[in-house]
């Protein structure tokens, strides 16, 4: 009996020690639009392709980069509705932390909590894993810029720069060549846009990408006009 006999059970290991539903969730992530993040010495940038299937869709109502706390934001690749659930849970968690301790939740705590939720959905009956990987940009209490990746299994990693979604292998290779430890945030934004452009299908504009930055410990989503300014500089 091969692994396929276990492919419909979330909570049963296959004979080779795999939980196949988690691997399928990672396939959903790999089929999603490319997202990437770069941690620089003075901030973090996360960027994503949000190209839509039809030009009739109003892009003002499509948000892939979300602010969670004043110093932290998420971006995803994979299944959009699953992402909304995680964003809602993360915001509730951060508000509970703020109410209890009187200060914003550090990004490392938020990542652990979100990863814990995703892990629960790999070990419970009647549910399935989240079909998303997250990139989390933020700043710790001492102001240190941080970039994390959280996978459907609940595993999380700290990164200097990484990419997820479709074309992530080429994007990571590009980042490995371009990344420098002393890189500043402005350089990081330009590198992020160049990396996205490498595997972009069609013309990249301020309407079909989204960029979020952590600058001076504060997270913000760039407006289309700000993104256009960076694109003009890159041309």
């Amino acid at each position: 009996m091969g692994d396929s006999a276990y492919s419909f059970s979330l909570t049963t290991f296959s004979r080779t020690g795999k939980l196949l539903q988690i691997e399928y969730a990672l396939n959903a992530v790999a089929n999603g639009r490319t997202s990437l993040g770069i941690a620089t010495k003075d901030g973090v940038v996360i960027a994503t392709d949000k190209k839509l299937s039809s030009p009739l869709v109003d892009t003002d109502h499509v948000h892939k980069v979300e602010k969670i706390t004043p110093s932290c934001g998420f971006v995803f690749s994979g299944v959009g509705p699953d992402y909304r659930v995680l964003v809602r849970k993360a915001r509730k968690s951060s508000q509970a932390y703020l109410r209890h301790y009187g200060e914003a939740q550090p990004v490392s705590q938020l990542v652990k909590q979100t990863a814990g939720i995703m892990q629960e959905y790999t070990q419970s009956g009647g549910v399935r894993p989240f079909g998303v990987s997250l990139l989390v940009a933020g700043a710790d209490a001492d102001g240190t810029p941080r970039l994390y990746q959280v996978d459907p299994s609940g595993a999380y990693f700290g990164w200097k720069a990484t990419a997820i979604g479709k074309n992530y292998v080429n994007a990571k290779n590009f980042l490995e060549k371009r990344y420098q430890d002393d890189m500043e945030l402005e350089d990081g934004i330009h590198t992020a846009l160049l990396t996205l452009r490498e595997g972009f299908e069609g013309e990249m504009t301020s309407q079909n990408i989204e960029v979020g930055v952590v600058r001076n410990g504060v997270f913000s989503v760039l407006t289309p006009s700000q993104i256009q300014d960076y694109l003009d500089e890159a041309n």
Side-chain angles (χ1 to χ4, degrees):
M1 187 165 61
D3 280 356
S4 60
Y6 300 89
S7 63
F8 294 106
S9 173
L10 171 61
T11 55
T12 305
F13 284 98
S14 72
R15 295 175 68 178
T16 56
K18 296 177 181 177
L19 290 171
L20 294 177
Q21 287 296 316
I22 293 176
E23 293 196 5
Y24 299 158
L26 287 168
N27 289 341
V29 173
N31 289 330
R33 295 286 183 184
T34 306
S35 301
L36 58 92
I38 303 172
T40 67
K41 68 178 184 179
D42 58 343
V44 188
V45 55
I46 50 177
T48 185
D49 169 358
K50 69 167 189 177
K51 194 173 181 185
L52 301 167
S53 56
S54 169
L56 299 177
V57 177
D58 185 351
T59 56
D60 291 341
H61 296 280
V62 179
H63 303 291
K64 291 186 68 178
V65 177
E66 294 283 4
K67 186 174 185 175
I68 307 298
T69 72
S71 63
C72 172
F74 285 3
V75 69
F76 81 101
S77 288
V79 182
D82 289 11
Y83 175 60
R84 289 203 305 270
V85 172
L86 289 171
V87 166
R88 187 176 70 247
K89 287 177 179 289
R91 284 175 174 161
K92 287 180 72 173
S93 157
S94 63
Q95 284 299 306
Y97 187 99
L98 178 65
R99 191 173 65 249
H100 190 82
Y101 295 104
E103 61 184 30
Q105 188 174 24
V107 63
S108 55
Q109 293 278 340
L110 183 62
V111 166
K112 286 178 185 176
Q113 197 138 15
T114 303
I117 291 168
M118 294 175 82
Q119 194 279 331
E120 284 178 18
Y121 278 70
T122 70
Q123 210 175 352
S124 308
V127 297
R128 62 163 175 78
F130 287 95
V132 294
S133 283
L134 304 176
L135 293 181
V136 184
D140 272 339
D142 61 358
T144 306
R146 301 289 186 192
L147 174 67
Y148 294 92
Q149 176 180 339
V150 189
D151 283 339
S153 63
Y156 63 93
F157 317 90
W159 289 88
K160 295 177 180 178
T162 190
I164 55 177
K166 195 181 295 182
N167 201 41
Y168 77 96
V169 174
N170 292 335
K172 272 190 179 181
N173 289 337
F174 189 85
L175 288 170
E176 285 173 8
K177 294 172 186 172
R178 290 272 184 162
Y179 183 82
Q180 296 175 335
D181 287 331
D182 61 350
M183 180 181 281
E184 295 185 349
L185 182 59
E186 292 298 309
D187 296 329
I189 295 171
H190 287 299
T191 302
L193 295 178
L194 285 171
T195 308
L196 266 186
R197 182 171 279 162
E198 278 294 294
F200 204 86
E201 299 170 2
E203 184 185 359
M204 195 167 84
T205 71
S206 60
Q207 299 300 319
N208 57 21
I209 63 171
E210 208 165 346
V211 181
V213 296
V214 178
R215 196 192 305 265
N216 299 322
V218 177
F219 181 84
S220 61
V221 181
L222 298 189
T223 64
S225 61
Q226 289 173 316
I227 294 172
Q228 190 60 52
D229 289 340
Y230 283 111
L231 289 174
D232 292 342
E233 288 175 23
N235 289 333

